[in-house]
Amino acid sequence: MSIFSYLLPKKQNTASVAKERLQIIVARERSTRGGPDYLPQLQEELLQVVRKYVPVDQDAVNVQVDRESGCEILELNITLPEG
Amino acid sequence: MSIFSYLLPKKQNTASVAKERLQIIVARERSTRGGPDYLPQLQEELLQVVRKYVPVDQDAVNVQVDRESGCEILELNITLPEG
């Protein structure tokens, strides 16, 4: 299965076809020594970097964090404004 | 299929179990108007942000860019140094 079909799953309605979407996924496989949890700060800074290129409304950002067997995944889904 | 099994696919050898790995995926679904291609600069700045939290050797970074039907995917695979 190509990663495309996994990322940015097809939209339900065509109305939002004109909208640009951006998805950022950070997957961290922690070593046995653990180490600091920097994903929350990384999340904030990644958004600041994206804002240098495109305007991002805070309510247009959907954040998801998953943890499973030594792996943490941060997922940012951003709907960008039109025009 | 859970995104975990897609991201950070299981390592072949246990020697690198102690190493921490970080994967950053940026998927951009471009609107019909196109707009500037900012993924190359975004790639550089994302690395600079990660370097604030963990040291990253340039040769430990694997970059992949895929494009398919209006969607661009930037994938950074980073093996972090031990200790």
Side-chain angles (χ1 to χ4, degrees):
Chain A
M1 184 178 71
S2 131
I3 192 166
F4 285 101
S5 50
Y6 199 92
L7 300 175
L8 295 171
K10 286 301 149 250
K11 287 179 292 283
Q12 287 65 30
N13 57 58
T14 53
S16 61
V17 164
K19 292 202 173 181
E20 185 161 328
R21 296 192 303 154
L22 197 63
Q23 182 173 44
I24 299 178
I25 295 176
V26 180
R28 176 187 179 196
E29 188 167 46
R30 298 178 77 155
S31 65
T32 43
R33 291 178 323 286
D37 178 15
Y38 50 78
L39 285 194
Q41 298 96 313
L42 197 60
Q43 170 191 322
E44 246 341 282
E45 297 215 32
L46 293 179
L47 270 176
Q48 284 168 21
V49 168
V50 170
R51 284 197 172 103
K52 290 185 185 177
Y53 298 97
V54 279
V56 176
D57 299 331
Q58 196 54 36
D59 51 16
V61 181
N62 176 282
V63 179
Q64 248 183 298
V65 179
D66 289 311
R67 285 188 175 80
E68 186 182 307
S69 62
C71 188
E72 286 169 303
I73 293 189
L74 166 69
E75 184 176 334
L76 301 176
N77 282 287
I78 307 169
T79 304
L80 303 177
E82 290 166 49
Chain B
M1 184 177 74
S2 130
I3 192 165
F4 285 101
S5 51
Y6 199 91
L7 300 174
L8 294 171
K10 286 299 150 254
K11 287 179 291 285
Q12 286 64 33
N13 56 58
T14 52
S16 59
V17 164
K19 293 203 173 182
E20 186 162 325
R21 296 194 303 153
L22 196 63
Q23 182 173 44
I24 300 178
I25 295 177
V26 180
R28 177 187 178 196
E29 188 168 47
R30 298 178 78 155
S31 64
T32 42
R33 289 177 325 284
D37 179 14
Y38 51 79
L39 286 192
Q41 298 98 312
L42 197 60
Q43 170 191 323
E44 249 338 284
E45 297 213 32
L46 293 179
L47 270 176
Q48 284 168 21
V49 168
V50 170
R51 284 196 171 106
K52 289 184 186 177
Y53 298 97
V54 279
V56 176
D57 300 330
Q58 197 54 38
D59 51 16
V61 181
N62 175 281
V63 180
Q64 248 181 297
V65 179
D66 289 309
R67 285 189 175 79
E68 187 182 305
S69 62
C71 187
E72 287 170 301
I73 292 188
L74 166 70
E75 185 176 333
L76 302 176
N77 282 289
I78 306 167
T79 304
L80 302 176
E82 290 165 49

